[in-house]
């Protein structure tokens, strides 16, 4: 099967914004029926999200964050995540973001997959990583970063997702991965941090 009947072809491009980490464009495209249309989108450097699994005497807990997100004007519950630096390996980025934001380092890592959070207007791709064998150290937040770190059970997270307390797309996708991983449906390949 071919997708030729769906493909849009770029005719021209106009740069709208070159910000600190976002780059916005307006393209004129030729549609499959040969008509012209415009597409506005943001080029994003990519990011990672970490699903940290913390073994406690009470059972498995998840390391989560609460952070105010200015565009939506509210504090959101999220898994640790962050933007990749130019040329940065996603696994190294995951390790860096987990340690900087939560203070935890992990002895075991597993890459789960990728998600495209806003395909209609952004090139952003987020790699999903699981981390376990956690050890707590000091956080190293960026100067403009303010967030709370807390733990919750997988059941609590699923309840918050169901009830709408968690509405962040990457965290909802992480909850899907978590649920299927814990059930054994989606096995992970773990690697040690050497």
């Amino acid at each position: 099967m071919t997708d030729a009947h769906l493909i849009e072809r770029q005719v021209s491009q106009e740069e709208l914004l070159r910000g600190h980490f976002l780059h916005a464009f307006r393209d004129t495209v030729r549609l499959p029926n040969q008509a012209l249309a415009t597409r506005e989108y943001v080029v994003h450097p990519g990011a990672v999200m970490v699903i940290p699994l913390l073994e406690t005497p009470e059972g498995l807990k998840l390391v989560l964050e609460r952070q105010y997100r200015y565009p939506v004007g509210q504090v959101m519950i999220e898994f640790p995540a962050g933007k990749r630096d130019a040329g940065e390996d996603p696994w190294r980025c995951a390790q860096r973001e987990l340690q900087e934001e939560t203070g935890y380092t992990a002895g075991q890592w597993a890459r789960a997959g990728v998600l495209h959070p806003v395909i209609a207007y952004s090139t952003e791709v987020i790699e999903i990583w699981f981390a376990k064998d956690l050890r707590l150290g000091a956080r190293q937040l960026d100067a403009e970063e303010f967030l709370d770190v807390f733990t919750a059970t997988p059941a609590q997270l699923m309840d918050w997702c169901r009830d709408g307390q968690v509405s962040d797309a990457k965290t909802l996708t992480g909850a899907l991965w978590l649920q299927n991983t814990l059930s054994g449906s989606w096995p992970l390949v773990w690697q040690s941090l050497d």
Side-chain angles (χ1 to χ4, degrees):
M1 180 180 288
T2 177
D3 291 334
H5 65 289
L6 302 172
I7 304 299
E8 301 174 358
R9 307 277 182 210
Q10 182 188 67
V11 173
S12 64
Q13 183 175 75
E14 174 189 2
E15 182 180 65
L16 301 176
L17 167 76
R18 181 181 284 277
H20 176 66
F21 80 98
L22 295 180
H23 199 177
F25 294 92
R26 178 183 298 121
D27 289 2
T28 299
V29 300
R30 186 165 311 282
L31 301 173
N33 67 359
Q34 301 308 306
L36 295 178
T38 59
R39 301 290 183 249
E40 294 178 349
Y41 62 98
V42 174
V43 174
H44 188 283
V48 298
M49 176 183 66
V50 182
I51 301 170
L53 307 176
L54 181 63
E55 292 294 341
T56 73
E58 299 81 33
L60 181 66
K61 298 277 181 92
L62 307 168
V63 178
L64 296 162
E65 300 174 351
R66 293 179 66 251
Q67 185 172 10
Y68 181 78
R69 294 300 192 172
Y70 183 82
V72 294
Q74 64 187 51
V75 173
M76 305 293 280
I77 296 173
E78 306 173 48
F79 280 118
K83 177 182 71 72
R84 287 176 54 192
D85 292 334
E88 184 177 28
D89 176 80
W91 187 25
R92 296 290 177 217
C93 181
Q95 294 168 42
R96 176 178 56 77
E97 288 293 340
L98 179 64
Q99 193 276 321
E100 286 178 1
E101 292 186 358
T102 70
Y104 283 100
T105 56
Q108 297 279 320
W109 289 86
R111 183 182 181 277
V114 300
L115 73 113
H116 294 88
V118 285
I119 58 174
Y121 61 86
S122 176
T123 64
E124 183 175 9
V125 175
I126 300 174
E127 285 210 15
I128 305 165
W129 289 85
F130 278 74
K132 66 180 182 179
D133 298 338
L134 302 181
R135 294 171 302 281
L136 183 59
R139 295 193 308 170
Q140 296 177 350
L141 294 175
D142 294 336
E144 298 176 356
E145 196 170 33
F146 302 90
L147 54 89
D148 292 335
V149 177
F150 69 102
T151 61
T153 66
Q156 287 172 310
L157 176 63
M158 296 307 169
D159 288 348
W160 297 334
C161 292
R162 180 198 63 220
D163 297 341
Q165 287 178 271
V166 172
S167 61
D168 168 56
K170 70 184 178 307
T171 303
L172 290 169
T173 301
L176 175 69
W177 268 96
L178 177 69
Q179 186 176 45
N180 282 285
T181 298
L182 294 179
S183 76
S185 296
W186 295 359
L188 297 172
V189 177
W190 292 92
Q191 53 189 345
S192 296
L193 183 61
D194 296 324

